[in-house]
Amino acid sequence: MAGETILVLNGPNLNLLGLREPEIYGTDTLADIEESCLERAAELEVKVDFRQTNHEGELVAWIQEARDTAAGIVINAASLSHTSIAILDALKFAGLPVIEVHLSNIFRRDPFRHVSYVSMAATGVICGLGAQGYLLALDALWRLIQAKSVSIAVVMGLFVVFFF
Ligand code: DQA
């Protein structure tokens, strides 16, 4: 488990956090959120690779790569959550545990924000808890990854017992 990488992905306009509609998204900047994620990652003894892009294709490429390089994905695809089948398809291809995060409670907002394609590939969804949502997502992902490695170890153990 120690040394596994969790990819934390952020979509369009999240580079503007702190300046952008602070009454909705709070006053933390993305750099603040990254810093708290790195602190939590150190406590959990995992690596966090924290990224942001305003480009859908870049997010898709990062998700595709994650299949071979990461143990799980935390994603706030921002507005692309509500529109991007390409991101949904990439997440399905990655085959990793995924926690979707939104700073705001998307269900208390405009109807077009109530649908998220990302949710269809997510193991779990956290929304409405601000920056804290990212830390909760890391904790949840850590447990999922740990449970997965325990199951793999048990299966390998059974294999050894039965065949040797
Ligand atoms: C968001 C919610 C989206 O609807 C919006 O487009 C964003 C941010 C959130 O974190 O609350 O850009 O993902």
Side-chain angles (χ1 to χ4, degrees), residues 16-90:
L16 300 176
L17 286 180
L19 299 172
R20 176 189 178 210
E21 299 178 274
E23 66 290 356
I24 295 177
Y25 299 117
T27 51
D28 283 340
T29 64
L30 197 62
D32 295 332
I33 296 176
E34 177 173 11
E35 198 182 317
S36 10
C37 283
L38 293 176
E39 279 169 19
R40 180 58 55 93
E43 286 161 15
L44 297 173
E45 298 183 352
V46 291
K47 287 182 200 142
V48 156
D49 184 353
F50 193 98
R51 303 183 190 186
Q52 189 274 334
T53 178
N54 291 327
H55 304 285
E56 181 177 14
E58 194 161 29
L59 265 183
V60 168
W62 288 344
I63 295 166
Q64 289 180 5
E65 285 164 25
R67 181 182 162 113
D68 299 320
T69 56
I73 300 175
V74 173
I75 181 164
N76 182 353
S79 55
L80 292 173
S81 318
H82 316 302
T83 59
S84 179
I85 298 169
I87 290 176
L88 167 63
D89 287 346

